[in-house]
Amino acid sequence: GQNIDQPTEMTATEGAIVQINCTYQTSGFNGLFWYQQHAGEAPTFLSYNVLDGLEEKGRFSSFLSRSKGYSYLLLKELQMKDSASYLCAVMDSNYQLIWGAGTKLIIKP
Amino acid sequence: GAVVSQHPSRVICKSGTSVKIECRSLDFQATTMFWYRQFPKKSLMLMATSNEGSKATYEQGVEKDKFLINHASLTLSTLTVTSAHPEDSSFYICSARSDRESNEQFFGPGTRLTVL
């Protein structure tokens, strides 16, 4: 079967760095996405990785290892507004997204 | 960037009525649109995939006679919840895949449906 695993909840301090991990097992692989979702809103796109390595975009970076079925989202200089759920999703061989359950990130002052 | 809109953003209806939700790609043509449902504190659940000009493909467990999907043009897909019941209350989100960037889906803002 297809499976995406990510921690249910994480807590971090304002100004710090946090890494959210995602492991996956899917039928085929056409890229991995990270989305941010604030409560009651639709997800917004953060990053897309299809090749191994680190993609940096401002305070957010995303890493992919296809051989390990592993990705992480790295958030630096955390701000209170970063409190949200972070969803990992993999595009399978049919170009459909398989979603993880999301990681709720709580930022404390 | 690509923009997807949904209308209405919120709807409250009585049990037994039908509700139509529109999903539009505003600045690109979307050959494929997806409809998701999100339950509180859970991940998105894909309901169906809608291709322009053809019948939607429903995921297992989704009643196609209850959730009618029409993708009449390259910029519009509609989801009609027929004979709505309180258990249909949820957050419905559509996304669209463009021709130019087929590996990325652009999400609509979502529609919160409350059935009384």
Side-chain angles (χ1 to χ4, degrees):
Chain A
Q2 308 204 96
N3 193 48
I4 309 282
D5 283 318
Q6 51 181 130
T8 303
E9 186 173 297
M10 299 182 71
T11 302
T13 305
E14 190 177 15
I17 299 174
V18 71
Q19 178 175 311
I20 303 174
N21 296 325
C22 171
T23 58
Y24 63 90
Q25 289 179 309
T26 57
S27 56
F29 180 83
N30 279 300
L32 185 144
F33 299 80
W34 283 96
Y35 287 84
Q36 180 192 60
Q37 186 182 26
H38 286 99
E41 300 178 8
T44 55
F45 172 78
L46 289 179
S47 67
Y48 170 68
N49 294 67
V50 67
L51 299 176
D52 290 349
L54 186 68
E55 295 275 346
E56 296 186 77
K57 194 185 293 185
R59 294 189 298 115
F60 293 3
S61 303
S62 56
F63 171 83
L64 175 67
S65 169
R66 287 171 297 170
S67 62
K68 295 181 179 178
Y70 168 70
S71 171
Y72 68 72
L73 179 69
L74 190 71
L75 293 77
K76 303 176 185 176
E77 301 171 16
L78 286 170
Q79 302 175 9
M80 296 303 292
K81 67 178 182 179
D82 298 329
S83 292
S85 286
Y86 291 85
L87 301 167
C88 171
V90 172
M91 186 162 279
D92 68 10
S93 56
N94 292 320
Y95 289 95
Q96 290 195 333
L97 283 174
I98 312 300
W99 291 87
T103 298
K104 183 179 180 180
L105 177 62
I106 300 168
I107 309 295
K108 294 185 175 179
Chain B
V3 178
V4 175
S5 70
Q6 276 184 246
H7 177 80
S9 58
R10 288 178 185 272
V11 58
I12 300 173
C13 69
K14 293 182 179 180
S15 186
T17 60
S18 294
V19 175
K20 180 185 284 188
I21 302 170
E22 293 186 348
C23 176
R24 293 181 185 273
S25 56
L26 298 184
D27 52 1
F28 67 98
Q29 292 184 329
T31 55
T32 306
M33 286 184 169
F34 304 86
W35 286 96
Y36 296 85
R37 181 173 177 176
Q38 186 177 43
F39 296 93
K41 300 182 180 179
K42 293 189 178 180
S43 183
L44 297 178
M45 181 194 78
L46 178 65
M47 298 174 66
T49 302
S50 166
N51 291 298
E52 187 266 338
S54 62
K55 290 183 179 180
T57 302
Y58 289 81
E59 296 299 301
Q60 191 173 10
V62 179
E63 299 175 61
K64 59 183 178 182
D65 292 333
K66 180 167 185 63
F67 298 98
L68 301 178
I69 292 172
N70 184 12
H71 193 160
S73 75
L74 285 171
T75 60
L76 173 65
S77 177
T78 60
L79 167 68
T80 301
V81 182
T82 62
S83 187
H85 289 281
E87 57 264 31
D88 299 326
S89 298
S90 192
F91 195 52
Y92 292 88
I93 302 171
C94 76
S95 70
R97 189 165 69 200
S98 71
D99 290 329
R100 299 188 306 273
E101 297 171 66
S102 61
N103 278 354
E104 185 175 4
Q105 294 182 21
F106 301 98
F107 284 88
T111 297
R112 184 162 300 284
L113 170 64
T114 303
V115 184
L116 302 176

